[in-house]
Amino acid sequence: MDSAEYERKITSRFAAFDQDHNGAIDREEFSGAAAALLAEFGVRPRSDKGQALYDGAEAFWQGMAGIADVDGDQRVTREEFLTGAVKRLRDNPRRFAEIARPFLHAAIAVADEDGRGVTHAALGRALRVLGVPEETGARVAAALDGDGDGRIGEDELLTAFADYYVTPEP
């Protein structure tokens, strides 16, 4: 991958977090994602699943801010994301899994409508709510179902999520 392609990939990773497109990632991006997922799956915010998702979103934000918010203003700019988060996550991919797991675990619980795992359709819905185009979400869901049982597990999702965000430099 050349440096222009790398720059495009990192810019798209940043844009995925910057849901309100104001040029920075902040706590509201994460709590907004939680609220959107809860609404999509009809889960009440004050339920156990709802609270777990909000707690996971806060943990994810705190982890992201801890590795990237260099100036401590409670916002991660594109530059901070490029120089802080991407480098640190690339140098220690397990760190990304650590900060993302509480959110993903809770999101999976919300999207797992029958207690048997996340279906392709449910993952597609969740990804769409988080800003992923519908056709891309469908492809991702099918690709992540390694055993072909129609369900996607937490480890598969966490690995894919980390692989997506921990982009190697050219």
Side-chain angles (χ1 to χ4, degrees):
M1 158 182 5
D2 64 24
S3 57
E5 182 182 357
Y6 177 74
E7 180 78 17
R8 279 191 305 277
K9 281 188 172 199
I10 295 307
T11 298
S12 74
R13 294 342 181 237
F14 178 80
F17 279 115
D18 184 16
Q19 294 285 304
D20 62 8
H21 311 292
N22 70 351
I25 303 167
D26 57 28
R27 175 178 275 113
E28 286 72 33
E29 257 54 87
F30 291 85
S31 61
L37 284 169
L38 293 175
E40 176 67 24
F41 288 95
V43 175
R44 292 183 337 273
R46 293 187 185 257
S47 68
D48 289 344
K49 284 183 179 181
Q51 286 306 140
L53 188 59
Y54 278 115
D55 290 346
E58 177 64 18
F60 198 177
W61 161 246
Q62 290 295 330
M64 178 66 72
I67 62 172
D69 183 18
V70 212
D71 61 10
D73 67 353
Q74 295 298 296
R75 296 168 21 103
V76 176
T77 64
R78 183 177 177 280
E79 187 62 32
E80 286 174 320
F81 185 79
L82 289 171
T83 59
V86 172
K87 181 186 181 328
R88 289 186 179 139
L89 295 175
R90 187 186 64 243
D91 291 348
N92 184 2
R94 290 186 190 263
R95 178 73 178 128
F96 185 82
E98 291 168 19
I99 67 172
R101 186 176 293 274
F103 178 75
L104 282 176
H105 180 76
I108 289 166
V110 166
D112 181 359
E113 299 172 294
D114 63 7
R116 296 183 9 230
V118 178
T119 64
H120 292 204
L123 178 58
R125 286 171 58 199
L127 290 172
R128 181 183 45 74
V129 165
L130 297 174
V132 175
E134 196 167 330
E135 56 282 349
T136 302
R139 276 195 318 273
V140 167
L144 291 179
D145 183 13
D147 59 9
D149 69 351
R151 307 289 172 146
I152 299 117
E154 183 172 338
D155 288 337
E156 294 163 314
L157 283 170
L158 188 59
T159 298
F161 199 63
D163 287 348
Y164 179 76
Y165 282 103
V166 181
T167 303
E169 281 187 291

